Amino acid sequence: MKLFVYHTPELTPTDMPECAIVVDVLRATTTIATALNAGAEAVQVFSDVQELMEVSEKWPADKRVRIGERGGNKVEGCDLGNSPLNVTSDIVEGKRLFMTTTNGTRALQRVQTAPVVITSALVNRRAVVEYLITKKPETVWIVGSGWQGSYSLEDTVCAGAIAESFVTEMGYPLADVAGNDEVYGAISLYLQWQSQLYQLMNCASHGQRLVGLKCYDDLKYCAQTDTLDVLPIQSEPGVLVKSDLQTKKLQYWMNDSKTQS
């Protein structure tokens, strides 16, 4: 396997890998994982607000939730902004979420033609690592969303968390796996900050924007690691659903428990 890290959609090559992992810790991919874990039917992403409105209008009103964010604020005409704390089961269960954000949805559209597209945040890092260990794709890109084309600390530390865990658990020499220098940098950042991720969020430029918007609880939530056992995976271009790998894993655990009893 060769693993590559790209900090923004703009820095991502045009040829596609076997597996692309999109990261937008603050906050799109954290919200996507949380919504699917809460029972959302799917999350459909758009880079353009008008397109979101036109497509979602064709969906039954009681079966849709519009999520729109620009500059950290909710888009007028949408039901919710981009806070993962708002996508609770009573709001999203059984519904399709139509989402547009400043950065994350752009990153998803950048790699949507890859054979496999999944999303990761810190909250579901473990599920992503388990997917890589199980499937062992030949080439993997971890694509950060950044902030309007620039580097972001929070996406890079998440990329490092994924890469470090995968390499360590598989016992691979890093030199054999790392496809570019960014992999080394991301792992180094994670190893330095792994026990202070909330502090890192507050240092990050986008974290400071969210502090300015008084989104303190969002920052705390997004800084948590491995709290959700959910793997968002693209079922068709721009549409993310909950992977059935978690269901299969639960069934295996239940069958194993019955055997032992």
Side-chain angles (χ1 to χ4, degrees), residues 14-77:
T14 55
D15 59 320
M16 290 292 114
E18 185 176 338
C19 174
I21 304 169
V22 174
V23 177
D24 186 7
V25 174
L26 297 176
R27 295 166 284 173
T29 58
T30 304
T31 299
I32 290 168
T34 304
L36 292 175
N37 189 68
E41 176 262 335
V43 180
Q44 188 166 351
V45 300
F46 302 83
S47 58
D48 180 72
V49 175
Q50 187 58 40
E51 184 185 5
L52 179 152
M53 293 298 181
E54 291 173 359
V55 173
S56 64
E57 191 62 34
K58 301 172 185 176
W59 209 263
D62 62 342
K63 292 293 183 180
R64 71 175 184 231
V65 177
R66 292 165 170 160
I67 294 178
E69 172 268 330
R70 288 294 183 270
N73 294 300
K74 183 170 83 72
V75 171
E76 185 177 354

Side-chain angles (χ1 to χ4, degrees), residues 81-157:
N82 191 22
S83 171
L85 301 180
N86 290 337
V87 289
T88 53
S89 59
D90 59 312
I91 294 175
V92 306
E93 187 170 9
K95 299 179 182 180
R96 175 161 296 208
L97 275 59
F98 296 87
M99 170 186 271
T100 181
T101 69
T102 305
N103 304 295
T105 50
R106 287 173 46 252
L108 278 161
Q109 290 200 328
R110 179 69 186 81
V111 295
Q112 67 180 10
T113 59
V116 176
V117 178
I118 59 181
T119 67
S120 183
L122 289 166
V123 292
N124 70 318
R125 185 273 307 257
R126 182 72 239 160
V128 172
V129 172
E130 289 182 1
Y131 176 87
L132 296 179
I133 291 172
T134 302
K135 298 296 185 179
K136 300 181 181 65
E138 284 295 316
T139 54
V140 177
W141 293 358
I142 305 177
V143 179
S145 300
W147 174 261
Q148 297 184 342
S150 62
Y151 173 92
S152 68
L153 281 172
E154 67 277 4
D155 291 348
T156 305
V157 82

Side-chain angles (χ1 to χ4, degrees), residues 5 7 156-161 163 181-191:
V5 170
H7 295 310
T156 305
V157 82
C158 183
D181 290 354
E182 286 88 336
V183 175
Y184 290 93
I187 291 176
S188 297
L189 182 69
Y190 172 67
L191 290 176

